[in-house]
Amino acid sequence: MKAAVGCLGMIAGCFSTGEAQDFGGMSFGEAGNFGPPQTSGSSKATVTSYGEASFVIVTELALPDHWHVYYKNPGTVGLPMEAAFQPVPGFRVEGPFWQIPELGKGLVDFYGYSGKAKMAFRVTPEKDAPRKRCSPPP
């Protein structure tokens, strides 16, 4: 099958994550005030071109010191990190598939991630997937 490298970039670019929330003057006791989070993220595919076989796109969020995000089942506190792909015609996307969480210890124990948080998505080209370089969505 002919490869469509341009579409892989478009698919990875359609990933979106929820943003960290600013709770203003809310106090967390001894948890401290670390200011607004400064995060960065990336998405990478396990292939540079595709055919008929499924492939994986891994997303990674780099978290600054003292910040964390919650797992899909965070425990007794917190809201889980969210991630989704915008629909791309010709591709079926499954996921997210979560990495194994850490047990966070603090005022209340929770499941989540610090340092780096990763999610994976399985992408399957369908019969109508573009076979030529495609343009980004409007």
Side-chain angles (χ1 to χ4, degrees):
M1 281 259 154
K2 284 281 187 183
V5 176
C7 286
L8 288 176
M10 182 181 73
I11 292 170
C14 289
F15 172 76
S16 64
T17 60
E19 295 182 18
Q21 296 178 355
D22 179 3
F23 292 101
M26 185 179 281
S27 172
F28 292 97
E30 297 299 315
N33 179 5
F34 300 106
Q38 304 294 317
T39 62
S40 62
S42 64
S43 297
K44 295 179 182 174
T46 57
V47 296
T48 57
S49 64
Y50 68 88
E52 295 177 355
S54 297
F55 57 92
V56 174
I57 293 180
V58 177
T59 61
E60 183 176 291
L61 182 64
L63 301 163
D65 289 344
H66 310 293
W67 285 92
H68 62 268
V69 293
Y70 295 106
Y71 178 60
K72 66 181 177 181
N73 178 5
T76 58
V77 62
L79 296 173
M81 177 174 63
E82 295 179 4
F85 274 94
Q86 297 171 358
V88 177
F91 297 91
R92 181 171 39 99
V93 178
E94 300 171 80
F97 301 99
W98 297 69
Q99 75 185 79
I100 297 172
E102 306 164 3
L103 175 59
K105 297 285 189 178
L107 298 174
V108 178
D109 293 350
F110 63 90
Y111 293 101
Y113 311 98
S114 59
K116 292 184 180 180
K118 295 181 182 179
M119 290 180 162
F121 294 84
R122 181 180 308 124
V123 180
T124 304
E126 296 177 333
K127 290 181 181 180
D128 61 342
R131 297 292 174 221
K132 296 181 180 177
R133 184 174 176 87
C134 50
S135 57

